[in-house]
Amino acid sequence: MQHHTRTLFVIVTALFSLILCSAPAVAAEDDVITPITLDEVHTLLQSDTPLVISLMTSWCGPCREELPMLDSLYSDYRAQGVEFVGISLDMAQEPMEKMLREVPVSFPFYWVGESAMEDLEVNAVPQLILVKNGGIVQRLVGLLGEAQLRGLLDDFLKQTG
């Protein structure tokens, strides 16, 4: 009987998890984050276009602090051909959805999940990955000041022509 009770508990827990973790029924225009596969992340990491990938989580204070600065930089550097992409490493999509509703950005944001951290060699967030010519040019770990990041992006553009 104990085995059946445990099995029933596991099934009920799994069903509740599916219900609670399901994406909320929101209109497509209200979506602020899109699920992405690890293969799609690897495709981004092979971009020929200058790309800044921001890896973060919703529970990370410095990540939240970095969002407005990244949005400002995106506005300035987009004209120079640099694209920005945010990727959430949260366990679920909803926490980052909530954060992005409070601190919106104009660049695309994706959710891949925390299981991608090992594969992407992420041991701390926030982390910016600068990509160009089919590979990673530089990884920047931790919260950087706007002036420092502008200098690094200017150097990145010079390096990658």
Side-chain angles (χ1 to χ4, degrees):
M1 184 68 175
Q2 185 180 13
H3 174 67
H4 292 297
T5 304
R6 186 173 28 216
T7 303
L8 181 59
F9 175 77
V10 169
I11 291 170
V12 169
T13 302
L15 286 173
F16 276 118
S17 295
L18 284 172
I19 292 167
L20 292 174
C21 292
S22 296
V26 223
E29 63 269 13
D30 290 339
D31 289 346
V32 293
I33 193 168
T34 305
I36 189 172
T37 66
L38 196 50
D39 286 341
E40 291 169 315
V41 173
H42 282 287
T43 299
L44 287 173
L45 291 171
Q46 298 169 10
S47 175
D48 286 330
T49 304
L51 177 65
V52 176
I53 300 175
S54 171
L55 302 171
M56 62 176 53
T57 60
S58 62
W59 50 263
C60 165
C63 297
R64 182 187 214 36
E65 189 178 332
E66 185 177 69
L67 279 174
M69 177 184 58
L70 290 177
D71 197 49
S72 173
L73 291 170
Y74 173 63
S75 296
D76 295 346
Y77 283 87
R78 186 177 185 190
Q80 297 178 52
V82 180
E83 291 297 326
F84 282 57
V85 169
I87 297 179
S88 168
L89 299 169
D90 281 305
M91 288 176 56
Q93 181 176 331
E94 291 76 23
M96 187 60 73
E97 281 268 357
K98 183 177 187 255
M99 188 165 107
L100 291 172
R101 288 184 195 287
E102 294 168 5
V103 185
V105 295
S106 47
F107 53 88
F109 225 98
Y110 301 98
W111 172 76
V112 70
E114 73 174 2
S115 61
M117 289 180 77
E118 183 177 342
D119 186 79
L120 298 174
E121 300 175 15
V122 176
N123 56 12
V125 289
Q127 185 169 140
L128 298 176
I129 300 177
L130 307 181
V131 178
K132 174 66 169 122
N133 297 330
I136 296 173
V137 174
Q138 189 173 11
R139 286 179 184 258
L140 307 168
V141 180
L143 180 62
L144 303 175
E146 186 170 346
Q148 181 183 13
L149 194 48
R150 282 183 186 279
L152 290 166
L153 288 174
D154 289 342
D155 289 345
F156 170 62
L157 283 173
K158 289 175 192 169
Q159 289 174 352
T160 58

